Each structure stands twice: as structure tokens, then as C-alpha cells.
Amino acid sequence: MIQVDEKGFYGSFGGAYIPEMLYPNVEELRENWEAIVASPTYQEEFQSLLKDFVGRPTPLYLAARLSETFGAKIYLKREDLCHTGAHKVNNTVGQIILAKKLGKKRIIAETGAGQHGVATATVCALMGMDCTIYMGELDIKRQRPNVERMRILGAKVVSAISGSKTLKDATNEAMRAWIADPVGTHYIIGSVVGPHPYPEMVARFQSVISEEIKWQLKAKEGRENPDLVIACVGGGSNAAGAFYHYYNESSVRLIAVEAAGHGIHSGKSAATSVLGTPGILHGSKTLLMQTEDGQVIEPHSISAGLDYPGIGPVHAHLHEIGRAEFVGVEDEDAMKAGILLSRTEGIIPAIETAHAIHALNQISFNPNDLIVINLSGRGDKDLETYIQWGNY
Amino acid sequence: MNRIDYLFQTKKERVLSIYVTAGFPNLEDTLPVMEAIQAAGADIIELGIPYSDPIADGPTIQESNTQALENGMSIKTLFSQLVGFRSKIHVPVILMGYLNPIIQFGEEEFCKKCKEVGIDGLILPDLPMSQYLEEYKSLFEEYGLFISFLISPQTSEKRIREVDENSNGFIYMVSSHAITGAKAEISPEQEQYFERVANMNLTHPRLIGFGISDAATFQLASHYSQGAIIGSAFIKNITNSTDLNRDINSFIQGVIG
Ligand SMILES: Cc1ncc(COP(=O)(O)O)c(C=O)c1O
């Protein structure tokens, strides 16, 4: 059984390794989140927003030409059609209602590519809540349009200038900001990372993805379980959502796709399952890329959303017990897969998502296999990267 | 007897602990800085193990961590620098560090080395008390290492009592809702919190840290507790120092008068 235990561990990974200053905040969440989320008033608001604001259920689309290309029956779970363009908003909608019920007045969040930042700024605008987004100084320069989207939505974007000035440092800054205002602020973490209960809570909000896949597949194919589910992994939230209701269905192969950058062993990669070792990152015990001395290494991926030196503890556990197969896709191959999907299906994917598409070339499957790929986001935010790559 | 307990038995007030990042400003400054801190009259030295992602620390200490790492500091190097330091340093020395580098070094090996060179205690901000009790308590005790847990204005009375029960030596009282960093003044709310905890009749002495920076704030903290910890203000003072002995002496003398 893949299940979080009472202390927040999935096997040997997870927990809450946090400074005492954050203990009351995290305790408050741990003690209350499940009861609040289970309450009828919460569910009513959550379900109605998922439907009318996010645009759920998202289609499960039979990609006929892609299927023909690869010789299997391939469905795409269209998270790219969510409002704001990616799965991230499932989680921010879930957390903002929770924050409101906890009486919080102010929201903070970290962001790398800016997708989670935009999804957070969006729900803050929706709820009329004060919003501050921490973003690495380098990412602010790399992801200009998303920075402006957040500002248009009324969020304040704060530049994280410490360390390597990217996602991990933005996360550090958000944690520091939370320490500074523990009573009034809720921290919306954007992936299945951080101290318990965040990894499980975020996974639960994203689990709507596999919940829908189950009934949609049943209606289309007469079966709830595909043979394979494929998703990309940065921190691992879209993958956790796509895998969630299949964790304990052993006939379903779970394929987790990491960014291999210039090559897994090139020194410019984000393939944590291969390069990572157990340690502590952002409050949980997990696999992370680090030096022999335990200093966190700055990863590389062409997609900012996969450019993270760790993976969520649930993925470290899936890796540890061999429940999921981990595949590393290189920058160049991901870009090619992005073009391929654009040309065969008329869908320009986010570059994160393009990694999951390319994985079809790197795994084995049978011609009659039923494959679901989680199409985590659309490529609008990545136009500049596609243009600079230029090979189309 | 552990040097920390001995200190608090013989000195009941105005105890000054100075935090400095190991290997800062230069790699080989660790020992000379410790000697200067002791010579200037501080009572405890808190030696920071630099880390790439110090989430409880403000900009000044973050930058000193980054600098120390660039200088080449690591736990291995630190222990090699500390070999024989007890021939010169008699005040209690505490290592402050985040858990990850210690896990990579090996927790047992770390404790063994601490004991070998003469470290008295540990402050590990991201090791929660529950995890300590489960995984580390017996190990630290085996090697005679004290541990001080933190409390903050948000810490409930019940938990403060648990911290009192499980800490050794002293309790680290974080002065405000904040990360480390020198601030100018202490607010009336902070004073109320200091007073509330002072009236709890805890078994362990308390040192107040975060935002203590000069004679005035040290005096105020000492009014409500056995003393204080100064980090960021001290680091700032030595950052561009051309004469460490002189600047450390004048800083510490300026605080304790
Ligand atoms: C479209 C898309 N997919 C995937 C990710 C990676 O995040 P996670 O692994 O949490 O799904 C991101 C993050 O920004 C994203 O924008």
C-alpha cells in the first residue's frame, strides 16, 4: 500500500524537518486540513470552483495520430485546458479555500517557471486576498510574461536573491516569510514537497486527475485502468495526481519522467532519482541532488518547472520500492517531442509536459497497450524557449 | 560536568554567546576568531556549520554561509581545524547547523568527532523535537553532547514545558517572529513574551537570540533571562575587518561594557 503514515512518512521518506518557529503553523495545518477538506461546505465550494472556474472535468482525449505514430492506444489527460494553463490551479483552488477557513488573510507562494505563481495570484484575486510570490532573480528574468501576469492579477512579486537565485531559493525565501508572519499567513506550496502535511495535501488536491481518468476511461474503454500512466516530475504534483488512484493497482505501470538536461551525467541535469541521495530538502526527507558534503546542488533543465534539486517524498518512495519506473529525458529530445505533439495533434505542450511525451521513445510497451499521458500544461508560457530553440 | 552546565552554575546573568560561521571571513579564521571571542570576554561560542540553504537565517548569516562554502569549508575541514583547540579555548563551544550536511557526514561519526575535539553541545534548527527523541537522543547522550531547542513567541506553554524537559544546558529563546538578523529595537510585545516565559519557572536557563545586536538590546534581554546570543551583528562587524582581534574586542566590549 502506498499511503502516508501518521508522522508524514511514505516508507523512509517524508516527515516535517522544520524550525521550531514554523511548528505551530504546520501543526495547525496538520491537525485541521483533513477535517476541513472533508466538510460539506468546503466540498461544495471546491467542487463548484473546479467545475466553473477551473473548467473541470478536463477531457480525456484519444490522440489518434500520436497513437498511430507510436503504435499503442494513447489518451491525453488535458490538464493544459485548465484555467491558467496547467494542473497547478487544482492545488491553489484547494488551498485557498482551506486558508480562508483557517482565517488567514495573506497568501505567500514560491514559483519557478511562474505557473504556480500565476495559479496562486489567480485564486488570490478570486478571493480578494493579499498575495506575495517569491521568485528567483534569475527566473524573474527568464519568465517575464508570467511575472507580468502575476502583477496584473494584483500579486506582489519578490525577487529571491540568495543562493542560486532560482526555485529552491524562492522556496527558502517563502519559508522565511512564513516564519515572519506565522499567524496571518498561509503558505501555498506548489508541489508535493515541503513538510508534512503538504506533500499529501497537494497530492490529494491533484488526485482529481486520476479520479477523472478512471471514470472517463470506463466510459470510453469499458475499463478504469490503463496499462501505463505517464507524467513528468519536477517536484511531482501532476504525477502524484495522475498516479494517485493507481498507486495500489499493480497492473498499472507508473512512468515518472524526469528532466535529464544535457544528459543524466553531464553535470547539467535534474534527474533526481538517478543523481539524488537521501537527505533533507525544504522540510522533508527525500532524494535530492547534493554534494558529498550535503550542500544542495543547483540542477539544470530547459524547462523551469522541472528545474528542482529534489522530488517529493512520495516519489522517492515509489522509486525506492520500484513501484514507478523513472525515465530521464534530455532537453533536446523534449523540445522535439513538443514539436511532434504540436504537429500530430495540434497541441503545443508546456516543455515540462513535452518530456512526458518523449518518454514514449524510451520505454517498452505493447501495441495493444492503453496509455494515458498526463498533459500537465500548455506551451504558451514557453513560446520564447521554443523560439530560441528554433528547430521547427 | 558539561562546560555548559558548569557555566550556568557559576554565572547566572549577562551570559553572552557569540555566533560565528566557521570558515568566515576566511577559511583559516575559525580558530583565531574563536580565540578573539574568548579573549574579549564572551561566555559561549556558537560555531555555525555553513549550509547552502539555511532557511531560519536572514541575509547576513546566509551570506556568511555562502562565503564560508566558497572558502571551502565543510564538516570534515571544520573538524580538522578543531583538533587540539581545547588547549586554547576553555569556554563552552556549541555547533549550530542544519541537519542535511550532518546526515551526509554520518550522524554517529559526527557525534564521535564532536566528542573527540571537545564540542559541548548542538543547536540544530531543523531537527524537530519529536524526531530527536525518536532517532537522536540516545546517540547524543552517548557522546555527551547537549542539545538546546528553540522556542518562539508562537510556542504554546505546553510545548515550552516539553522543550524545557528535553533541552540540556539552556533553552534558545527566539526573540520574535523572525529569522536571524540584527534589528534596532525590541518591541513591547516582545518584552511581554520575555516576561511571560521568565515567569514560567523553567528548570533551564534561557538565552535570547535573533535581533540582539548591541549593549542596549543585550541589557534588555539579560533583564528577562540569563543572557543573549548575538550573531548577525557580530558577523557584520567582522565582514570587512582588516584587524579581527581589534574589531572583535571592541564589538564584544561594546556589548558587555
Ligand atoms: C506544465 C507543468 N508541468 C509540470 C510542472 C512540474 O511540477 P510538478 O512536478 O509538481 O507537476 C510544472 C511546474 O511549473 C508545470 O508548469
Side-chain angles (χ1 to χ4, degrees):
Chain A
M1 275 291 265
I2 307 296
Q3 206 174 16
V4 70
D5 72 17
E6 208 174 288
K7 290 178 182 141
F9 282 87
Y10 303 87
S12 52
F13 298 109
Y17 295 84
I18 44 163
E20 184 64 28
M21 294 82 91
L22 284 179
Y23 179 82
N25 313 37
V26 171
E27 268 303 282
E28 179 186 32
L29 260 186
R30 192 184 64 78
E31 283 172 1
N32 295 303
W33 82 271
E34 280 185 297
I36 292 176
V37 168
S39 72
T41 56
Y42 180 97
Q43 278 301 322
E44 195 181 322
E45 189 172 0
F46 184 49
Q47 296 305 336
S48 134
L49 283 176
L50 284 185
K51 178 166 179 286
D52 297 327
F53 187 70
V54 175
R56 304 207 71 91
T58 58
L60 184 69
Y61 164 71
L62 176 59
R65 294 203 337 120
L66 193 71
S67 297
E68 207 174 293
T69 308
F70 284 98
K73 200 166 196 182
I74 302 170
Y75 280 90
L76 302 177
K77 180 59 175 162
R78 299 290 308 273
E79 293 302 297
D80 61 314
L81 295 178
C82 288
H83 179 41
T84 70
H87 68 291
K88 296 279 176 190
V89 73
N90 301 325
N91 169 45
T92 60
V93 166
Q95 286 202 47
I96 196 110
I97 305 172
L98 181 63
K100 228 174 45 169
K101 304 257 181 221
L102 288 168
K104 305 291 176 181
K105 301 276 178 284
R106 183 168 164 263
I107 297 295
I108 56 173
E110 85 294 342
T111 197
Q115 280 309 103
H116 175 58
V118 168
T120 302
T122 298
V123 296
C124 286
L126 176 72
M127 297 292 180
M129 276 164 89
D130 189 73
C131 179
T132 305
I133 306 292
Y134 294 86
M135 189 167 183
E137 192 182 33
L138 277 181
D139 290 333
I140 288 183
K141 287 188 189 133
R142 291 197 288 196
Q143 308 284 336
R144 192 89 219 161
N146 269 346
V147 173
E148 297 312 322
R149 282 167 88 192
M150 290 184 260
R151 290 195 174 129
I152 288 169
L153 289 160
K156 188 171 151 211
V157 181
V158 176
S159 171
I161 54 167
S162 60
S164 47
K165 305 176 173 57
T166 59
L167 178 56
K168 86 174 171 67
D169 309 285
T171 308
N172 293 338
E173 283 310 321
M175 290 203 170
R176 290 177 186 126
W178 203 19
I179 289 173
D181 181 19
V183 184
T185 295
H186 175 71
Y187 176 18
I188 301 189
I189 293 186
S191 193
V192 288
V193 302
H196 178 61
Y198 277 103
E200 185 58 22
M201 187 169 77
V202 175
R204 191 83 71 79
F205 291 136
Q206 294 293 0
S207 71
V208 64
I209 298 171
S210 48
E211 190 184 311
E212 288 174 4
I213 294 174
K214 278 203 150 181
W215 64 255
Q216 288 171 322
L217 210 56
K218 177 88 182 163
K220 288 176 196 286
E221 295 286 336
R223 55 191 269 202
E224 288 189 336
N225 294 357
D227 296 299
L228 291 87
V229 180
I230 305 177
C232 65
V233 173
S237 68
N238 88 84
F243 295 169
Y244 199 89
H245 292 284
Y246 295 118
Y247 283 155
N248 301 311
E249 302 280 353
S250 57
S251 71
V252 182
R253 285 170 64 192
L254 307 177
I255 314 291
V257 185
E258 293 181 311
H262 296 187
I264 288 186
H265 299 288
S266 65
K268 287 186 119 323
S269 152
T272 307
S273 72
V274 181
L275 303 171
T277 49
I280 289 167
L281 180 67
H282 296 138
S284 62
K285 190 172 271 184
T286 190
L287 290 175
L288 66 134
M289 291 167 54
Q290 55 184 325
T291 65
E292 230 180 67
D293 293 330
Q295 310 297 341
V296 183
I297 289 175
E298 187 57 26
H300 163 84
S301 167
I302 193 163
S303 68
L306 303 184
D307 205 353
Y308 184 69
I311 49 176
V314 71
H315 295 293
H317 180 55
L318 293 172
H319 180 260
E320 170 184 46
I321 62 170
R323 175 65 187 97
E325 300 161 49
F326 281 72
V327 179
V329 169
E330 297 184 12
D331 286 352
E332 186 70 14
D333 289 334
M335 296 307 295
K336 284 183 192 152
I339 303 302
L340 174 75
L341 189 73
S342 306
R343 303 268 163 99
T344 52
E345 297 294 341
I347 299 169
I348 304 175
I351 294 168
E352 290 81 3
T353 315
H355 286 72
I357 305 291
H358 187 81
L360 289 167
N361 293 297
Q362 297 179 224
I363 57 171
S364 61
F365 49 82
N366 297 316
N368 49 359
D369 273 351
L370 197 55
I371 300 176
V372 175
I373 301 177
N374 194 34
L375 212 76
S376 60
R378 67 176 91 125
D380 304 25
K381 70 178 175 64
D382 295 318
L383 266 193
E384 192 54 41
T385 313
Y386 276 114
I387 293 166
Q388 275 181 12
W389 181 68
N391 217 340
Y392 49 85
Chain B
M1 181 188 291
N2 186 300
R3 289 183 193 87
I4 301 170
D5 270 351
Y6 183 75
L7 170 71
F8 284 102
Q9 279 184 16
T10 49
K11 186 164 181 180
K12 308 266 183 215
E13 54 177 25
R14 294 176 59 80
V15 169
L16 176 64
S17 176
I18 293 286
Y19 168 92
V20 66
T21 306
F24 181 82
N26 297 296
L27 184 62
E28 298 302 332
D29 286 335
T30 312
L31 237 72
V33 166
M34 290 169 75
E35 283 179 59
I37 291 171
Q38 174 177 276
D43 304 294
I44 301 176
I45 298 168
E46 198 187 305
L47 206 48
I49 301 170
Y51 182 46
S52 55
D53 296 76
I55 55 172
D57 287 299
T60 307
I61 293 182
Q62 283 170 42
E63 279 159 30
S64 72
N65 275 240
T66 306
Q67 183 62 51
L69 290 173
E70 277 172 20
N71 294 345
M73 184 44 87
S74 66
I75 296 183
K76 222 187 266 167
T77 304
L78 176 59
F79 280 130
S80 71
Q81 290 180 345
L82 289 178
V83 169
F85 87 94
R86 278 297 170 200
S87 65
K88 290 181 176 146
I89 306 281
H90 57 264
V91 298
V93 176
I94 294 167
L95 292 187
M96 181 277 179
Y98 292 83
L99 208 47
N100 195 53
I102 296 172
I103 292 176
Q104 305 315 318
F105 187 82
E107 293 101 318
E108 171 123 33
E109 182 64 14
F110 178 80
C111 294
K112 218 169 105 193
K113 288 278 188 213
C114 281
K115 186 177 169 153
E116 262 173 42
V117 298
I119 295 297
D120 304 292
L122 303 172
I123 295 173
L124 307 171
D126 61 348
L127 173 62
M129 199 161 52
S130 57
Q131 217 61 35
Y132 157 77
L133 291 172
E134 222 169 87
E135 284 182 57
Y136 294 101
K137 185 175 175 3
S138 55
L139 185 65
F140 293 173
E141 281 174 359
E142 185 184 336
Y143 291 96
L145 292 169
F146 274 19
I147 184 155
S148 290
F149 287 104
L150 277 58
I151 61 172
S152 83
Q154 274 308 104
T155 311
S156 68
E157 178 169 340
K158 175 165 169 278
R159 191 157 169 93
I160 293 176
R161 299 221 177 268
E162 284 167 21
V163 164
D164 192 28
E165 195 176 310
N166 292 308
S167 290
N168 319 107
F170 67 95
I171 293 170
Y172 194 134
M173 239 180 110
V174 176
S175 69
S176 63
H177 299 307
I179 49 179
T180 55
K183 260 187 303 170
E185 280 172 43
I186 287 178
S187 70
E189 291 78 33
Q190 282 172 281
E191 283 197 56
Q192 278 168 22
Y193 151 66
F194 296 163
E195 185 155 15
R196 171 166 63 83
V197 178
N199 289 334
M200 283 179 70
N201 292 317
L202 300 175
T203 51
H204 289 94
R206 288 151 284 116
L207 294 183
I208 296 179
F210 289 35
I212 310 301
S213 59
D214 53 16
T217 45
F218 177 64
Q219 176 62 28
L220 191 70
S222 295
H223 178 72
Y224 293 104
S225 71
Q226 284 76 7
I229 303 162
I230 299 183
S232 298
F234 179 80
I235 298 273
K236 268 191 193 142
N237 180 256
I238 62 168
T239 296
N240 294 313
S241 172
T242 50
D243 184 341
L244 283 173
N245 278 323
R246 180 198 64 202
D247 292 341
I248 289 171
N249 189 62
S250 69
F251 179 85
I252 290 176
Q253 280 302 313
V255 170
I256 57 183

